[in-house]
Amino acid sequence: MTDVDLSEAEKTFILHSMQDNFREDGRGCEDFRHMEVETGLISNTNGSARVRLASTDILVGVKVQLVPVDPNKPNVGRIEFFLDCSANATPAFEGRGGEGLASEITAMLTRAYSCPSAIDYPSLCVLPGQQCWLLYIDVLLLECGGNLFDAVSIAVKSALFNLRIPNVTMTKDEGGIELDVSDDPFDFKRLDVAGAPIIVTVNKIGHFHVVDASEKEEVCSLARLMLGITEKGTVTAMKKEGSGSLDTDSISEMIESAKKVGVELNKCLLNILMTEEGQEVKPVGFLR
């Protein structure tokens, strides 16, 4: 969503700049803007992260809770997304104005993470057929500056990387099995999120397409594809938005572009997150 108004001259300038692969901020069509990622910011969560992409600001907190398993999936854990659009982000979110956008983003995240290989769901099962970990992922949209879906997905993956899941001990007695959750802050396990997808939004502007569109570029876009991309280039979800139509060739080109950018973005993000944990990793790409 965007509240930016552009004149026809500004729209024409943006459209023509695409022809030379040179956008108004100096980026190429497949370049992301500078992004800042921080983790471990919220003390009362099991994992958290904050992502700033230009003027877009996202905060994510993850809490874990032991719950009965899903009878249809008795050997895996569960995950649920919740998103709140702060009224401070834009006046349009006052009252219930942000509910529609929140539903769209949570639905896209749910679809992207429904892939069995997205995260290690079996490791979240504590007692097969009985108890598992449920991950509550709360997303707070603090400020809107364009490209919300991508920024939210990056913040979610960062928070899951930061997640500390308490270890559980099991003791048998006459009444069955008793579970004891450790309250030691240093007694935890980590979640493998290498396969967790990042959403890459590709906007079609004229005869060209761009990733990480600015607010002005979003105004000029009549159609866009949002794809959940893993570090291996697997597409876990796809959604088309906008009133404009897309031909087969355009869709194929946009998917390939999303895969290329998504693979690089996943690798770059993991490198940055691993560096924050004190591991020696060579930085790559456009995050810091």
PDB file of all heavy atoms in Angstrom, residues 128-153:
ATOM      1  N   PRO A 128       5.822 -37.414  20.477  1.00  0.00           N
ATOM      2  CA  PRO A 128       5.038 -37.780  19.298  1.00  0.00           C
ATOM      3  C   PRO A 128       3.631 -38.250  19.651  1.00  0.00           C
ATOM      4  O   PRO A 128       3.434 -39.072  20.542  1.00  0.00           O
ATOM      5  CB  PRO A 128       5.863 -38.910  18.666  1.00  0.00           C
ATOM      6  CG  PRO A 128       7.271 -38.623  19.099  1.00  0.00           C
ATOM      7  CD  PRO A 128       7.150 -38.064  20.490  1.00  0.00           C
ATOM      8  N   GLY A 129       2.667 -37.671  18.946  1.00  0.00           N
ATOM      9  CA  GLY A 129       1.278 -38.034  19.166  1.00  0.00           C
ATOM     10  C   GLY A 129       0.625 -37.331  20.328  1.00  0.00           C
ATOM     11  O   GLY A 129      -0.593 -37.453  20.536  1.00  0.00           O
ATOM     12  N   GLN A 130       1.435 -36.559  21.105  1.00  0.00           N
ATOM     13  CA  GLN A 130       0.855 -35.924  22.291  1.00  0.00           C
ATOM     14  C   GLN A 130       1.174 -34.429  22.391  1.00  0.00           C
ATOM     15  O   GLN A 130       0.264 -33.600  22.340  1.00  0.00           O
ATOM     16  CB  GLN A 130       1.331 -36.642  23.558  1.00  0.00           C
ATOM     17  CG  GLN A 130       0.899 -38.092  23.639  1.00  0.00           C
ATOM     18  CD  GLN A 130       1.256 -38.725  24.964  1.00  0.00           C
ATOM     19  OE1 GLN A 130       1.112 -38.139  26.032  1.00  0.00           O
ATOM     20  NE2 GLN A 130       1.773 -39.961  24.891  1.00  0.00           N
ATOM     21  N   GLN A 131       2.437 -34.068  22.531  1.00  0.00           N
ATOM     22  CA  GLN A 131       2.799 -32.680  22.781  1.00  0.00           C
ATOM     23  C   GLN A 131       3.836 -32.183  21.769  1.00  0.00           C
ATOM     24  O   GLN A 131       4.728 -32.930  21.359  1.00  0.00           O
ATOM     25  CB  GLN A 131       3.376 -32.513  24.195  1.00  0.00           C
ATOM     26  CG  GLN A 131       2.379 -32.775  25.315  1.00  0.00           C
ATOM     27  CD  GLN A 131       1.392 -31.640  25.466  1.00  0.00           C
ATOM     28  OE1 GLN A 131       1.767 -30.475  25.509  1.00  0.00           O
ATOM     29  NE2 GLN A 131       0.109 -31.975  25.573  1.00  0.00           N
ATOM     30  N   CYS A 132       3.685 -30.911  21.396  1.00  0.00           N
ATOM     31  CA  CYS A 132       4.648 -30.294  20.488  1.00  0.00           C
ATOM     32  C   CYS A 132       4.787 -28.814  20.833  1.00  0.00           C
ATOM     33  O   CYS A 132       3.998 -28.257  21.605  1.00  0.00           O
ATOM     34  CB  CYS A 132       4.205 -30.450  19.032  1.00  0.00           C
ATOM     35  SG  CYS A 132       2.744 -29.467  18.603  1.00  0.00           S
ATOM     36  N   TRP A 133       5.795 -28.195  20.265  1.00  0.00           N
ATOM     37  CA  TRP A 133       5.976 -26.755  20.425  1.00  0.00           C
ATOM     38  C   TRP A 133       5.136 -26.021  19.391  1.00  0.00           C
ATOM     39  O   TRP A 133       5.129 -26.378  18.219  1.00  0.00           O
ATOM     40  CB  TRP A 133       7.436 -26.349  20.255  1.00  0.00           C
ATOM     41  CG  TRP A 133       8.354 -26.720  21.376  1.00  0.00           C
ATOM     42  CD1 TRP A 133       9.383 -27.621  21.327  1.00  0.00           C
ATOM     43  CD2 TRP A 133       8.347 -26.185  22.693  1.00  0.00           C
ATOM     44  NE1 TRP A 133      10.009 -27.696  22.536  1.00  0.00           N
ATOM     45  CE2 TRP A 133       9.396 -26.812  23.407  1.00  0.00           C
ATOM     46  CE3 TRP A 133       7.559 -25.247  23.366  1.00  0.00           C
ATOM     47  CZ2 TRP A 133       9.680 -26.536  24.739  1.00  0.00           C
ATOM     48  CZ3 TRP A 133       7.837 -24.979  24.693  1.00  0.00           C
ATOM     49  CH2 TRP A 133       8.875 -25.601  25.366  1.00  0.00           C
ATOM     50  N   LEU A 134       4.431 -25.002  19.857  1.00  0.00           N
ATOM     51  CA  LEU A 134       3.730 -24.093  18.957  1.00  0.00           C
ATOM     52  C   LEU A 134       4.475 -22.766  18.977  1.00  0.00           C
ATOM     53  O   LEU A 134       4.690 -22.184  20.051  1.00  0.00           O
ATOM     54  CB  LEU A 134       2.279 -23.887  19.418  1.00  0.00           C
ATOM     55  CG  LEU A 134       1.476 -22.803  18.694  1.00  0.00           C
ATOM     56  CD1 LEU A 134       1.396 -23.072  17.200  1.00  0.00           C
ATOM     57  CD2 LEU A 134       0.080 -22.677  19.294  1.00  0.00           C
ATOM     58  N   LEU A 135       4.886 -22.296  17.803  1.00  0.00           N
ATOM     59  CA  LEU A 135       5.600 -21.028  17.691  1.00  0.00           C
ATOM     60  C   LEU A 135       4.612 -19.923  17.364  1.00  0.00           C
ATOM     61  O   LEU A 135       3.976 -19.943  16.306  1.00  0.00           O
ATOM     62  CB  LEU A 135       6.674 -21.104  16.607  1.00  0.00           C
ATOM     63  CG  LEU A 135       7.669 -22.271  16.666  1.00  0.00           C
ATOM     64  CD1 LEU A 135       8.735 -22.092  15.584  1.00  0.00           C
ATOM     65  CD2 LEU A 135       8.290 -22.399  18.031  1.00  0.00           C
ATOM     66  N   TYR A 136       4.463 -18.982  18.278  1.00  0.00           N
ATOM     67  CA  TYR A 136       3.637 -17.803  18.023  1.00  0.00           C
ATOM     68  C   TYR A 136       4.554 -16.702  17.485  1.00  0.00           C
ATOM     69  O   TYR A 136       5.423 -16.205  18.205  1.00  0.00           O
ATOM     70  CB  TYR A 136       2.963 -17.317  19.310  1.00  0.00           C
ATOM     71  CG  TYR A 136       1.894 -18.228  19.847  1.00  0.00           C
ATOM     72  CD1 TYR A 136       2.146 -19.076  20.919  1.00  0.00           C
ATOM     73  CD2 TYR A 136       0.611 -18.236  19.304  1.00  0.00           C
ATOM     74  CE1 TYR A 136       1.166 -19.906  21.436  1.00  0.00           C
ATOM     75  CE2 TYR A 136      -0.382 -19.064  19.808  1.00  0.00           C
ATOM     76  CZ  TYR A 136      -0.095 -19.892  20.863  1.00  0.00           C
ATOM     77  OH  TYR A 136      -1.085 -20.711  21.365  1.00  0.00           O
ATOM     78  N   ILE A 137       4.346 -16.321  16.244  1.00  0.00           N
ATOM     79  CA  ILE A 137       5.185 -15.303  15.626  1.00  0.00           C
ATOM     80  C   ILE A 137       4.382 -14.018  15.494  1.00  0.00           C
ATOM     81  O   ILE A 137       3.444 -13.932  14.698  1.00  0.00           O
ATOM     82  CB  ILE A 137       5.698 -15.768  14.248  1.00  0.00           C
ATOM     83  CG1 ILE A 137       6.472 -17.076  14.396  1.00  0.00           C
ATOM     84  CG2 ILE A 137       6.565 -14.694  13.608  1.00  0.00           C
ATOM     85  CD1 ILE A 137       7.002 -17.628  13.089  1.00  0.00           C
ATOM     86  N   ASP A 138       4.719 -13.044  16.310  1.00  0.00           N
ATOM     87  CA  ASP A 138       4.017 -11.755  16.324  1.00  0.00           C
ATOM     88  C   ASP A 138       4.813 -10.729  15.537  1.00  0.00           C
ATOM     89  O   ASP A 138       5.990 -10.475  15.844  1.00  0.00           O
ATOM     90  CB  ASP A 138       3.813 -11.264  17.754  1.00  0.00           C
ATOM     91  CG  ASP A 138       2.821 -12.126  18.515  1.00  0.00           C
ATOM     92  OD1 ASP A 138       1.658 -12.190  18.080  1.00  0.00           O
ATOM     93  OD2 ASP A 138       3.202 -12.727  19.539  1.00  0.00           O
ATOM     94  N   VAL A 139       4.182 -10.126  14.549  1.00  0.00           N
ATOM     95  CA  VAL A 139       4.821  -9.130  13.690  1.00  0.00           C
ATOM     96  C   VAL A 139       4.171  -7.775  13.942  1.00  0.00           C
ATOM     97  O   VAL A 139       2.947  -7.654  13.926  1.00  0.00           O
ATOM     98  CB  VAL A 139       4.676  -9.503  12.201  1.00  0.00           C
ATOM     99  CG1 VAL A 139       5.369  -8.467  11.313  1.00  0.00           C
ATOM    100  CG2 VAL A 139       5.226 -10.900  11.930  1.00  0.00           C
ATOM    101  N   LEU A 140       4.998  -6.779  14.179  1.00  0.00           N
ATOM    102  CA  LEU A 140       4.500  -5.415  14.372  1.00  0.00           C
ATOM    103  C   LEU A 140       5.057  -4.533  13.268  1.00  0.00           C
ATOM    104  O   LEU A 140       6.273  -4.401  13.114  1.00  0.00           O
ATOM    105  CB  LEU A 140       4.928  -4.870  15.738  1.00  0.00           C
ATOM    106  CG  LEU A 140       4.494  -3.427  16.061  1.00  0.00           C
ATOM    107  CD1 LEU A 140       2.982  -3.284  16.016  1.00  0.00           C
ATOM    108  CD2 LEU A 140       5.040  -3.001  17.423  1.00  0.00           C
ATOM    109  N   LEU A 141       4.152  -3.945  12.495  1.00  0.00           N
ATOM    110  CA  LEU A 141       4.547  -3.040  11.426  1.00  0.00           C
ATOM    111  C   LEU A 141       4.625  -1.633  12.014  1.00  0.00           C
ATOM    112  O   LEU A 141       3.604  -1.022  12.305  1.00  0.00           O
ATOM    113  CB  LEU A 141       3.527  -3.110  10.280  1.00  0.00           C
ATOM    114  CG  LEU A 141       3.969  -2.677   8.889  1.00  0.00           C
ATOM    115  CD1 LEU A 141       2.950  -3.121   7.858  1.00  0.00           C
ATOM    116  CD2 LEU A 141       4.136  -1.169   8.818  1.00  0.00           C
ATOM    117  N   LEU A 142       5.851  -1.133  12.197  1.00  0.00           N
ATOM    118  CA  LEU A 142       6.050   0.163  12.858  1.00  0.00           C
ATOM    119  C   LEU A 142       5.989   1.332  11.888  1.00  0.00           C
ATOM    120  O   LEU A 142       5.559   2.432  12.254  1.00  0.00           O
ATOM    121  CB  LEU A 142       7.410   0.169  13.576  1.00  0.00           C
ATOM    122  CG  LEU A 142       7.567  -0.850  14.706  1.00  0.00           C
ATOM    123  CD1 LEU A 142       9.014  -0.881  15.189  1.00  0.00           C
ATOM    124  CD2 LEU A 142       6.641  -0.516  15.869  1.00  0.00           C
ATOM    125  N   GLU A 143       6.452   1.101  10.664  1.00  0.00           N
ATOM    126  CA  GLU A 143       6.481   2.187   9.678  1.00  0.00           C
ATOM    127  C   GLU A 143       6.412   1.601   8.275  1.00  0.00           C
ATOM    128  O   GLU A 143       7.003   0.550   8.007  1.00  0.00           O
ATOM    129  CB  GLU A 143       7.752   3.022   9.840  1.00  0.00           C
ATOM    130  CG  GLU A 143       7.759   4.314   9.041  1.00  0.00           C
ATOM    131  CD  GLU A 143       8.948   5.205   9.362  1.00  0.00           C
ATOM    132  OE1 GLU A 143       9.719   4.857  10.268  1.00  0.00           O
ATOM    133  OE2 GLU A 143       9.097   6.241   8.676  1.00  0.00           O
ATOM    134  N   CYS A 144       5.679   2.265   7.391  1.00  0.00           N
ATOM    135  CA  CYS A 144       5.503   1.789   6.018  1.00  0.00           C
ATOM    136  C   CYS A 144       6.368   2.603   5.069  1.00  0.00           C
ATOM    137  O   CYS A 144       6.253   3.825   5.017  1.00  0.00           O
ATOM    138  CB  CYS A 144       4.050   1.906   5.590  1.00  0.00           C
ATOM    139  SG  CYS A 144       2.924   0.878   6.530  1.00  0.00           S
ATOM    140  N   GLY A 145       7.216   1.910   4.303  1.00  0.00           N
ATOM    141  CA  GLY A 145       8.022   2.595   3.306  1.00  0.00           C
ATOM    142  C   GLY A 145       8.135   1.797   2.034  1.00  0.00           C
ATOM    143  O   GLY A 145       9.105   1.930   1.291  1.00  0.00           O
ATOM    144  N   GLY A 146       7.141   0.926   1.784  1.00  0.00           N
ATOM    145  CA  GLY A 146       7.177   0.106   0.587  1.00  0.00           C
ATOM    146  C   GLY A 146       7.764  -1.273   0.825  1.00  0.00           C
ATOM    147  O   GLY A 146       8.493  -1.500   1.799  1.00  0.00           O
ATOM    148  N   ASN A 147       7.431  -2.207  -0.037  1.00  0.00           N
ATOM    149  CA  ASN A 147       7.970  -3.564  -0.025  1.00  0.00           C
ATOM    150  C   ASN A 147       7.765  -4.257   1.315  1.00  0.00           C
ATOM    151  O   ASN A 147       8.690  -4.845   1.874  1.00  0.00           O
ATOM    152  CB  ASN A 147       9.458  -3.550  -0.393  1.00  0.00           C
ATOM    153  CG  ASN A 147       9.925  -4.897  -0.920  1.00  0.00           C
ATOM    154  OD1 ASN A 147       9.116  -5.734  -1.331  1.00  0.00           O
ATOM    155  ND2 ASN A 147      11.230  -5.112  -0.918  1.00  0.00           N
ATOM    156  N   LEU A 148       6.545  -4.217   1.822  1.00  0.00           N
ATOM    157  CA  LEU A 148       6.253  -4.735   3.157  1.00  0.00           C
ATOM    158  C   LEU A 148       6.407  -6.248   3.251  1.00  0.00           C
ATOM    159  O   LEU A 148       6.954  -6.761   4.234  1.00  0.00           O
ATOM    160  CB  LEU A 148       4.835  -4.331   3.567  1.00  0.00           C
ATOM    161  CG  LEU A 148       4.575  -2.834   3.755  1.00  0.00           C
ATOM    162  CD1 LEU A 148       3.111  -2.604   4.123  1.00  0.00           C
ATOM    163  CD2 LEU A 148       5.481  -2.266   4.838  1.00  0.00           C
ATOM    164  N   PHE A 149       5.904  -6.977   2.254  1.00  0.00           N
ATOM    165  CA  PHE A 149       5.933  -8.439   2.332  1.00  0.00           C
ATOM    166  C   PHE A 149       7.366  -8.959   2.468  1.00  0.00           C
ATOM    167  O   PHE A 149       7.639  -9.840   3.290  1.00  0.00           O
ATOM    168  CB  PHE A 149       5.266  -9.049   1.097  1.00  0.00           C
ATOM    169  CG  PHE A 149       3.766  -8.963   1.096  1.00  0.00           C
ATOM    170  CD1 PHE A 149       3.121  -7.779   0.766  1.00  0.00           C
ATOM    171  CD2 PHE A 149       2.990 -10.070   1.419  1.00  0.00           C
ATOM    172  CE1 PHE A 149       1.736  -7.699   0.759  1.00  0.00           C
ATOM    173  CE2 PHE A 149       1.598  -9.996   1.410  1.00  0.00           C
ATOM    174  CZ  PHE A 149       0.966  -8.804   1.083  1.00  0.00           C
ATOM    175  N   ASP A 150       8.269  -8.413   1.662  1.00  0.00           N
ATOM    176  CA  ASP A 150       9.658  -8.869   1.702  1.00  0.00           C
ATOM    177  C   ASP A 150      10.299  -8.559   3.053  1.00  0.00           C
ATOM    178  O   ASP A 150      10.962  -9.400   3.661  1.00  0.00           O
ATOM    179  CB  ASP A 150      10.464  -8.193   0.589  1.00  0.00           C
ATOM    180  CG  ASP A 150       9.942  -8.530  -0.800  1.00  0.00           C
ATOM    181  OD1 ASP A 150       8.769  -8.920  -0.916  1.00  0.00           O
ATOM    182  OD2 ASP A 150      10.702  -8.385  -1.767  1.00  0.00           O
ATOM    183  N   ALA A 151      10.100  -7.332   3.528  1.00  0.00           N
ATOM    184  CA  ALA A 151      10.705  -6.916   4.791  1.00  0.00           C
ATOM    185  C   ALA A 151      10.187  -7.753   5.952  1.00  0.00           C
ATOM    186  O   ALA A 151      10.950  -8.154   6.841  1.00  0.00           O
ATOM    187  CB  ALA A 151      10.437  -5.431   5.040  1.00  0.00           C
ATOM    188  N   VAL A 152       8.888  -8.034   5.965  1.00  0.00           N
ATOM    189  CA  VAL A 152       8.310  -8.857   7.028  1.00  0.00           C
ATOM    190  C   VAL A 152       8.910 -10.255   7.000  1.00  0.00           C
ATOM    191  O   VAL A 152       9.278 -10.813   8.043  1.00  0.00           O
ATOM    192  CB  VAL A 152       6.776  -8.924   6.895  1.00  0.00           C
ATOM    193  CG1 VAL A 152       6.203 -10.014   7.812  1.00  0.00           C
ATOM    194  CG2 VAL A 152       6.146  -7.581   7.246  1.00  0.00           C
ATOM    195  N   SER A 153       9.035 -10.852   5.820  1.00  0.00           N
ATOM    196  CA  SER A 153       9.571 -12.213   5.730  1.00  0.00           C
ATOM    197  C   SER A 153      11.025 -12.275   6.192  1.00  0.00           C
ATOM    198  O   SER A 153      11.446 -13.260   6.811  1.00  0.00           O
ATOM    199  CB  SER A 153       9.448 -12.737   4.304  1.00  0.00           C
ATOM    200  OG  SER A 153      10.332 -12.070   3.416  1.00  0.00           O
TER     201      SER A 153
END
